[in-house]
Amino acid sequence: NAGVTQTPKFQVLKTGQSMTLQCAQDMNHNSMYWYRQDPGMGLRLIYYSASEGTTDKGEVPNGYNVSRLNKREFSLRLESAAPSQTSVYFCASATQGAGNYEQYFGPGTRLTVT
Amino acid sequence: AQTVTQSQPEMSVQEAETVTLSCTYDTSESNYYLFWYKQPPSRQMILVIRQEAYKQQNATENRFSVNFQKAAKSFSLKISDSQLGDTAMYFCAFMPYTGANSKLTFGKGITLSVRP
């Protein structure tokens, strides 16, 4: 049981390059999330998917796109990277039962855009 | 919109002592959850404790307990018998319970250092 996995763990991009961050969970969760973490800002929600086939914007969606490929996988794409997107990115998935709600996080991807 | 405020950016505590981390939130929701997450230097986010708003009893998990004051919208975390492994960033988080569309709002975090 691997939980939530993310690839890659580290990435350096030049301004204008594109890339996709991959996320997969093996816990049969319906909901999945993408966050970014910046110093002094906590975690901010980029996009989320409440179920397979649906996605919605979070607090900071500009410059990103997502795909919920199937129940297990939720990818985040940067079409034209900018230095402001330098951050640590976390994927998470969640149980939905009342009384035991918990988000499980992947190990994070540190992205640097130069 | 909900907001979560952690006003102390850093705290330090001696090993074996007790420390309390503060968190306040603002919401008009009546049905919600509150969480404390720990992020050690490894960067992994780990759930420490969860409180459901409808429960009057404060949640406890081993050395970790909360003081949940619903009327004051306050949710502090108490760590007893602090250990070196408690050194980490701690995030308070709020979530209104709306079923499948439930989303967490995080505070900015507090860096806790445990001194030997």
Side-chain angles (χ1 to χ4, degrees):
Chain A
N1 188 340
V4 180
T5 58
Q6 291 183 235
T7 55
K9 286 191 166 46
F10 300 94
Q11 184 72 46
V12 178
L13 291 178
K14 290 186 175 2
T15 297
Q17 288 185 319
S18 62
M19 78 162 296
T20 300
L21 281 64
Q22 307 286 353
C23 173
Q25 52 92 9
D26 61 1
M27 295 174 281
N28 201 36
H29 290 163
N30 286 320
S31 299
M32 297 186 73
Y33 307 82
W34 276 105
Y35 296 90
R36 60 178 288 172
Q37 182 180 15
D38 301 295
M41 299 294 291
L43 277 74
R44 293 181 292 169
L45 183 65
I46 305 171
Y47 271 93
Y48 70 102
S49 171
S51 62
E52 186 179 352
T54 68
T55 60
D56 285 288
K57 294 178 181 179
E59 181 184 353
V60 288
N62 291 345
Y64 306 95
N65 286 301
V66 290
S67 296
R68 184 74 183 267
L69 305 170
N70 47 56
K71 192 171 186 179
R72 290 186 65 248
E73 298 172 289
F74 188 38
S75 62
L76 178 72
R77 182 159 178 85
L78 287 70
E79 289 291 352
S80 178
S84 61
Q85 294 177 304
T86 293
S87 189
V88 179
Y89 291 85
F90 286 95
C91 177
S93 68
T95 60
Q96 289 177 19
N100 67 342
Y101 184 92
E102 180 175 348
Q103 284 195 14
Y104 296 81
F105 286 80
T109 296
R110 182 176 291 279
L111 174 67
T112 302
V113 183
T114 61
Chain B
Q2 290 81 25
T3 58
V4 178
T5 301
Q6 294 179 254
S7 56
Q8 308 151 302
E10 295 181 3
M11 287 191 77
S12 180
V13 64
Q14 195 74 32
E15 194 175 7
E17 293 188 344
T18 295
V19 64
T20 298
L21 311 182
S22 301
C23 173
T24 58
Y25 59 96
D26 188 25
T27 185
S28 58
E29 302 283 345
S30 58
N31 188 15
Y32 55 87
Y33 290 90
L34 293 158
F35 306 85
W36 279 97
Y37 275 87
K38 171 184 178 181
Q39 186 180 45
S42 67
R43 206 168 65 197
Q44 182 68 49
M45 293 287 288
I46 302 163
L47 179 65
V48 175
I49 201 163
R50 171 181 51 231
Q51 175 79 43
E52 292 140 88
Y54 70 87
K55 290 187 177 179
Q56 292 191 335
Q57 187 172 9
N58 288 327
T60 299
E61 290 286 344
N62 300 314
R63 298 182 296 107
F64 299 88
S65 61
V66 298
N67 183 5
F68 174 45
Q69 301 289 330
K70 191 172 184 179
K73 295 179 182 173
S74 170
F75 183 60
S76 60
L77 175 70
K78 185 172 83 171
I79 306 174
S80 303
D81 185 25
S82 297
Q83 300 176 359
L84 296 178
D86 295 333
T87 292
M89 277 204 79
Y90 288 82
F91 294 95
C92 179
F94 169 93
M95 187 191 80
Y97 189 69
T98 56
N101 288 314
S102 298
K103 302 188 293 287
L104 287 174
T105 299
F106 286 87
K108 294 184 177 182
I110 177 171
T111 300
L112 176 67
S113 300
V114 180
R115 305 186 304 273

